[in-house]
Amino acid sequence: MAVNPQDFKQFILRQIHITKNELGHGSYAVVMELEYQGLKCAGKKLYRVFYETGIGHAARRYLEECHLLSQTRHPNIVQFLGVCFEEGSQFPILVMEFLPTNLTSCLERYGILPDEINFSILHDVSLGLVSLHGQTPVIVHRDLSANNVLLSTNMTAKISDLGVART
């Protein structure tokens, strides 16, 4: 799928350092650690096969995710920072705030969480969903799971991965 970097001109971040540390991966993309102006960030990079071999469905979803996140600002939705381009690539890496863990990993590590934390996480996710559903047009996540709920160091929950979201 041909992508024109100029379509992302307003979102391009310069001087991004890609650390090569993998933070996670899914069916369509890998999430890796980035550094931008001394700030640790996360970068979602679509697997090369999806945009080099003409498998446009995943690439189209990825580009839609970039645009959806760029229009969404809420404390319980992962913050979109911009995009960057790896040297030699014409396809953007989505740059987002870094959060240290997701709800799945937290539950696997600690087991049952105290009620206060459970209620706080549910409240945060609810607020994020209210924000998405309050957009015009409405954004429906369609893939909300413990894997897509990221947690900050103080256990603030943020919705991530709008890759299959629809307006």
Side-chain angles (χ1 to χ4, degrees):
M1 177 176 187
V3 173
N4 182 354
Q6 290 301 310
D7 292 342
F8 294 90
K9 185 178 179 180
Q10 63 191 3
F11 305 124
I12 294 175
L13 301 173
R14 307 268 185 235
Q15 300 175 333
I16 295 277
H17 172 67
I18 301 171
T19 68
K20 304 294 184 189
N21 292 336
E22 185 178 312
L23 301 173
H25 60 276
S27 303
Y28 298 111
V30 61
V31 179
M32 53 207 198
E33 184 181 289
L34 308 174
E35 192 174 295
Y36 176 61
Q37 297 182 349
L39 180 68
K40 187 176 185 179
C41 302
K44 184 174 183 179
K45 177 183 173 185
L46 190 69
Y47 294 127
R48 188 175 297 269
V49 67
F50 288 111
Y51 58 88
E52 284 188 349
T53 60
I55 303 173
H57 180 67
R60 199 169 28 261
R61 278 182 158 170
Y62 180 82
L63 295 174
E64 288 171 8
E65 180 179 10
C66 287
H67 287 290
L68 283 175
L69 274 174
S70 73
Q71 299 167 20
T72 305
R73 295 276 186 261
H74 191 273
N76 300 111
I77 299 172
V78 171
Q79 181 67 51
F80 171 81
L81 301 174
V83 299
C84 68
F85 289 87
E86 203 167 17
E87 191 172 325
S89 176
Q90 294 294 303
F91 207 84
I93 296 172
L94 190 142
V95 182
M96 302 164 286
E97 71 177 305
F98 172 82
L99 292 152
T101 192
N102 66 27
L103 183 54
T104 298
S105 297
C106 184
L107 292 171
E108 287 171 352
R109 183 171 182 184
Y110 300 109
I112 297 172
L113 301 173
D115 285 346
E116 305 80 46
I117 294 175
N118 287 330
F119 293 143
S120 176
I121 290 170
L122 285 170
H123 184 252
D124 290 346
V125 170
S126 298
L127 292 174
L129 286 173
V130 166
S131 175
L132 290 173
H133 296 172
Q135 301 285 322
T136 305
V138 171
I139 298 172
V140 180
H141 191 283
R142 298 183 354 140
D143 190 24
L144 190 59
S145 69
N147 288 330
N148 294 331
V149 174
L150 302 183
L151 300 171
S152 70
T153 53
N154 68 355
M155 298 300 280
T156 298
K158 298 188 180 207
I159 296 171
S160 71
D161 196 356
L162 297 179
V164 295
R166 291 287 176 260
T167 55

